[in-house]
């Protein structure tokens, strides 16, 4: 039997820096429930896979990007978490040294897929780092993408009068 539970969080660091996140559960075949005591004593767990993507469809990333150009309005950070049930995990979006958003998720099962969404402003070009942070502060995974200005196309001599 498949269950789906959704959590939506909004972090506002000003009107233009809002980020949202969604967590959805999909138990694995034969997965047994973990008690609160087991979850508390369990190790940090892991990130089975992650993707910086332009969209999420049916709880899966539609693509993976390493760079996007100016004009891209938003990106998603998808992660599949393993053995982190009962813990709160955070997606941290940083541009250079500036943290632009943190989105936290309560993990409800042994296999938990989550994603956060970040609106991008034109003045935020440069290298970005996305991190999955455990409750202890340990970074479980780090990914990068570049938000770059579109290259200028030189005018042809026919355009100059």
């Amino acid at each position: 039997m498949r269950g789906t539970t959704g959590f939506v969080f909004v972090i506002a660091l000003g009107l233009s820096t809002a980020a949202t996140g969604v967590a959805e559960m999909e138990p694995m075949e034969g997965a047994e429930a973990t008690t609160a005591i087991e979850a508390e004593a369990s190790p940090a767990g892991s990130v089975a896979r992650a993707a910086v993507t332009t969209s999420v469809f049916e709880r899966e990333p539609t693509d993976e990007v390493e760079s996007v150009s100016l004009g891209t309005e938003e990106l998603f950070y998808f992660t599949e978490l393993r053995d982190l049930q009962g813990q709160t995990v955070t997606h941290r979006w940083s541009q250079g040294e500036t943290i632009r958003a943190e989105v936290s998720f309560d993990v409800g099962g042994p296999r938990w897929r989550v994603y956060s969404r970040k609106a991008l402003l034109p003045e935020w070009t440069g290298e970005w780092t996305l991190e999955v942070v455990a409750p202890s502060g340990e970074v479980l995974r780090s990914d990068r993408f570049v938000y770059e200005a579109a290259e200028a196309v030189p005018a042809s001599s026919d355009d100059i009068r």
Side-chain angles (χ1 to χ4, degrees):
M1 180 170 163
R2 294 175 109 176
T4 302
T5 304
F7 299 93
V8 177
F9 299 89
V10 176
I11 304 294
L13 304 173
L15 291 177
S16 61
T17 61
T20 60
V22 176
E24 297 178 348
M25 178 181 79
E26 184 173 310
M28 295 175 59
E29 289 287 322
E32 295 181 19
T34 303
T35 66
I37 295 171
E38 289 172 349
E40 218 172 278
S42 69
S46 65
V47 179
R49 58 190 176 112
V52 179
T53 182
T54 57
S55 65
V56 175
F57 179 71
E58 295 184 358
R59 297 180 291 195
E60 287 292 325
T62 58
D63 57 10
E64 287 190 52
V65 297
E66 294 179 3
S67 66
V68 292
S69 61
L70 198 60
T72 302
E73 295 181 5
E74 66 183 5
L75 281 180
F76 297 79
Y77 188 40
F78 166 90
T79 55
E80 181 179 324
L81 309 172
R82 295 287 173 99
D83 302 320
L84 289 161
Q85 59 272 21
Q87 300 181 50
T88 300
V89 175
T90 301
H91 282 181
R92 180 181 298 146
W93 292 75
S94 300
Q95 178 209 11
E97 298 297 317
T98 304
I99 296 173
R100 294 288 181 195
E102 290 185 315
V103 181
S104 296
F105 304 94
D106 293 326
V107 181
R111 177 179 179 238
W112 203 256
R113 296 182 293 177
V114 298
Y115 63 88
S116 56
R117 173 179 31 217
K118 182 77 186 93
L120 299 173
L121 297 179
E123 59 269 23
W124 288 351
T125 57
E127 186 170 311
W128 285 69
T129 303
L130 299 166
E131 296 174 319
V132 181
V133 184
S136 65
E138 174 188 3
V139 175
L140 301 175
R141 170 127 181 177
S142 180
D143 290 285
R144 297 183 191 286
F145 74 91
V146 176
Y147 183 44
E148 51 196 3
E151 293 182 24
V153 177
S156 70
S157 58
D158 294 337
D159 295 335
I160 301 173
R161 293 181 190 220

